[in-house]
Structure formats: C-alpha cells, structure tokens
Amino acid sequence: MPRVVDHDERRRTLALAACAVIARSGLAGATMRDVAAEAGCTTGMVSHYFADKDQLLVAALGAATSAVAQRITRTAAERPGDLVAVLAESLPLDDVRRREWRVWTAFWGAAVGNPALAREHAARYARWRGGLATVLAEEPWAGAVHEDAAETVMTAVDGIGLHAVFEPQLWPAERQLAHLNRVVEALKR
Amino acid sequence: MPRVVDHDERRRTLALAACAVIARSGLAGATMRDVAAEAGCTTGMVSHYFADKDQLLVAALGAATSAVAQRITRTAAERPGDLVAVLAESLPLDDVRRREWRVWTAFWGAAVGNPALAREHAARYARWRGGLATVLAEEPWAGAVHEDAAETVMTAVDGIGLHAVFEPQLWPAERQLAHLNRVVEALKR
C-alpha cells in the first residue's frame, strides 16, 4: 500500500517553518532553502508547495493568524468579558507573539505596491473587524461604545504592536498591556 | 571653469525619486533603473550615490521624514496649541502623505531581520518621541497628561496610518482626524 501523504499537514509544517525563517531573517533574507532546512525537508519539497516567495509569505501569515485566532477563542471562553485579555493575544507580549508580529510586519512591507498581498491583508482585517465588533457588542458597557470602537481597538493594537516589535526594550509586556487597558477604559466613558 | 556639481541637491532629487518609485511599486518592485527614470538620470548615477537598495530606501525614508518634519514645524508655528493639526501632518490624509506612508510601511517590512534598518527606525523614533514630548509639555492641559502620553499619541498615529494606507476607502481624511481627535481628547481627561 502506498504511503498516504497528508498534504494539509505538510503544508502546515512548511508554513510554520516559513514563519520562523521570516521572523528571524526578514523577507529579503529568507530563502526557500532556509525554509527547507527549518522544516527538515528538501528545497524541492518547499517549491512543490509554494511557487514563489509571495505564496510562502501568505502561508506563513496564515499560520500566524490561525495561531492568534486559536488563542483568542480559548481565552474568550476561559475569561468571558475580559476584553483586554482577549486582545492581548494579538500583542507581541512573548517570543511566540513577537515572532507572529515580525511576520505581519514583513508582510505589510511586502504588500505595498503588491495588489494581491494588499487584498489578502484587507480580507484578514475584514474578518478581524467582524469578530471584534461581535465581541464588543457583547460587553456589558456596549451601549456606551461609539460606532468606531472596533477600529479604535484595532488601530491601538496595531500601533502598540508595531512599536513593540521594533523597540522591545521600550515595550515590555506590562507597558503594552497598560496602554491597551487605557484604550479599552477610554471606550467605556 | 569646471561645472560645480551640487551633490546634496542631486542626492535629494534621487531620494525623492526613490520615494515615488517605492510608494508606487513597493520595495521588491522598485529597481535602480526605475529610480533613474523617475529622476531623469542614468542608472549609473543612481548607483554612484546609493550602493544598494537598502541605502536607497534609507534615503527615501529620510526625504519623506524631512517633508513631514517641515510641515509639522510650519503648522506648529501657524496654529500654536493645535495638537491635532500638528499630528495630522503625519497621517496619510492626502496623496503626498499617503506616498510618505507607503514608504514608511515598506521600510518597516524591510527592517524585520535587518539590524541596520531597525537601528535607523529606532533613531528616527527617538527624535519623534523627543519632539512630541516637548510639544505635549507645552499644552495648557499638560499637567493632566500621564507619562506615557507621547507613546499613546505615536502608537495611535501609527495604527491609524497603517490601516489607512491599506484601506484608504475605509479611512477618508475625516475619519482619521476623528480618531486622532478622540485619542487627544482622551489624554486630557
């Protein structure tokens, strides 16, 4: 009987390897060979699944986004009503989340002047916006929230994350959380 | 008498051309040849001034940052005490500022995994932080401002700008200004 190849599993493994390599070396510095070495497979295997660097980048971004979404779902279930805890899952508070953030930042840079990547970004943000609007509507203080609350939170998270990713020494986890907390408290007033 | 070449002027012209090309085509899509065509000179001339793409990118970023700084200085003089108007000079409210933002965003992406560019970023942000702290200290409501006010403003501007650069249809100038205004008002409470 021929060995069954689990293509989804392999694709996921390669996407995670791409995350690690892009976070470490940046997009310009990342090569198919590095990703292969990280995944413990051949370069041919990587290029079999991903035709070019853009595809690899999108896959890496997908892996990072799935990881965030899983954590958010879990935290939302474990700590209902704790909006800051939920949002904190998408801030670069530890090594894992810093790595995801470095992939996001590399992706944004690559999306400038690249319509396909810019559409990918817009699609992901539309989902985030929708999810966040649902979470906000369930807050006990939802009535007080202005219509742009979801955007306020999203731009705050992205602003804090961007600063923290480049100046981690200025932005320890406590400071990121304090800023996020201030933004959420301001929403309630 | 030999013709005197104004190297600073030429460097500035090339940096502005690099801004235009990077904003249009992204960093991956920008070539020395495009920059030469934009500046109306030879490719050899571009590579005489900038040895590689990173140097070109830093020069483009410098040109964009200088333009913002000049506008901020002028607006601060013309509208003293109008913090929102001053900060608005660094949001992507029109074509000129959107172009600058696209260069910044491309730069951030390139700075991931590139220590030299990351240092360049940190140096520029240190100057912005310093300038902003001075402006905030002069506000009539300065006493009410918490110590992280400058960071709150900076992260808000970067978050709004990042969203607006990728989804301009969702972020017309009025919406960016309304968000910025809300952040500044929240500082005063």
Side-chain angles (χ1 to χ4, degrees):
Chain A
M1 215 178 83
R3 214 173 108 210
V4 176
V5 176
D6 183 339
H7 287 289
D8 285 349
E9 180 55 31
R10 190 166 280 172
R11 195 176 276 277
R12 238 185 332 265
T13 304
L14 291 173
L16 284 172
C19 267
V21 171
I22 292 169
R24 195 167 60 225
S25 312
L27 197 59
T31 65
M32 294 285 194
R33 187 151 52 154
D34 294 335
V35 175
E38 182 79 24
C41 70
T42 64
T43 306
M45 177 73 78
V46 180
S47 40
H48 174 75
Y49 282 88
F50 304 106
D52 58 26
K53 251 189 179 182
D54 277 5
Q55 288 191 8
L56 200 63
L57 176 60
V58 169
L61 189 74
T65 313
S66 299
V68 178
Q70 277 173 25
R71 287 197 309 265
I72 284 182
T73 304
R74 198 183 52 220
T75 302
E78 285 173 5
R79 303 172 69 169
D82 191 342
L83 181 60
V84 170
V86 169
L87 292 169
E89 295 297 351
S90 61
L91 280 176
L93 299 179
D94 55 26
D95 284 345
V96 169
R97 286 174 273 191
R98 260 189 294 277
R99 198 166 63 188
E100 292 161 357
W101 254 93
R102 290 170 66 83
V103 173
W104 265 107
T105 308
F107 173 82
W108 286 329
V112 171
N114 185 323
L117 295 184
R119 277 194 298 275
E120 181 72 33
H121 168 92
R124 290 187 184 279
Y125 268 50
R127 285 197 290 278
W128 187 22
R129 192 174 291 121
L132 196 50
T134 307
V135 170
L136 284 170
E138 287 164 358
E139 291 292 326
W141 39 272
V145 170
H146 57 79
E147 54 169 350
D148 267 358
E151 300 293 329
T152 299
V153 169
M154 287 169 76
T155 54
V157 165
D158 282 346
I160 294 167
L162 189 65
H163 280 238
V165 92
F166 283 119
E167 302 188 274
Q169 75 292 354
L170 289 183
W171 286 93
E174 308 76 55
R175 191 183 197 188
Q176 296 181 48
L177 289 170
H179 271 251
L180 179 59
N181 207 52
R182 203 144 43 212
V183 171
V184 170
E185 286 305 311
L187 282 185
K188 300 182 188 176
R189 284 192 292 236
Chain B
M1 215 177 84
R3 212 173 110 209
V4 177
V5 177
D6 184 338
H7 288 288
D8 284 349
E9 181 55 32
R10 188 165 281 171
R11 195 176 276 276
R12 237 183 333 264
T13 303
L14 291 173
L16 285 172
C19 266
V21 172
I22 293 169
R24 194 166 62 226
S25 312
L27 197 60
T31 65
M32 294 286 195
R33 189 154 45 158
D34 295 335
V35 175
E38 181 80 24
C41 70
T42 64
T43 306
M45 177 74 77
V46 179
S47 40
H48 174 74
Y49 281 89
F50 304 107
D52 58 27
K53 251 187 176 182
D54 278 4
Q55 287 190 9
L56 200 62
L57 176 61
V58 169
L61 189 75
T65 314
S66 298
V68 178
Q70 277 172 25
R71 288 197 309 265
I72 285 183
T73 305
R74 199 184 50 220
T75 302
E78 284 172 6
R79 304 172 67 169
D82 191 343
L83 181 60
V84 170
V86 168
L87 292 171
E89 295 297 350
S90 60
L91 280 176
L93 300 179
D94 56 26
D95 285 344
V96 169
R97 286 174 274 191
R98 262 190 292 278
R99 198 165 64 188
E100 293 162 356
W101 255 92
R102 290 170 67 82
V103 173
W104 265 107
T105 308
F107 173 82
W108 285 330
V112 171
N114 184 324
L117 294 185
R119 276 193 300 275
E120 181 72 32
H121 168 93
R124 291 188 182 279
Y125 268 51
R127 285 198 289 276
W128 187 22
R129 191 174 291 122
L132 196 51
T134 307
V135 170
L136 284 170
E138 287 164 358
E139 292 293 325
W141 39 272
V145 170
H146 58 77
E147 54 169 350
D148 268 358
E151 300 294 328
T152 298
V153 169
M154 288 170 75
T155 55
V157 165
D158 281 347
I160 295 167
L162 190 65
H163 280 238
V165 92
F166 283 119
E167 302 188 274
Q169 74 291 356
L170 289 183
W171 286 93
E174 308 75 55
R175 190 182 198 190
Q176 296 181 48
L177 290 171
H179 271 253
L180 179 58
N181 207 50
R182 202 143 46 212
V183 170
V184 170
E185 287 304 311
L187 281 187
K188 300 183 187 175
R189 285 190 292 238

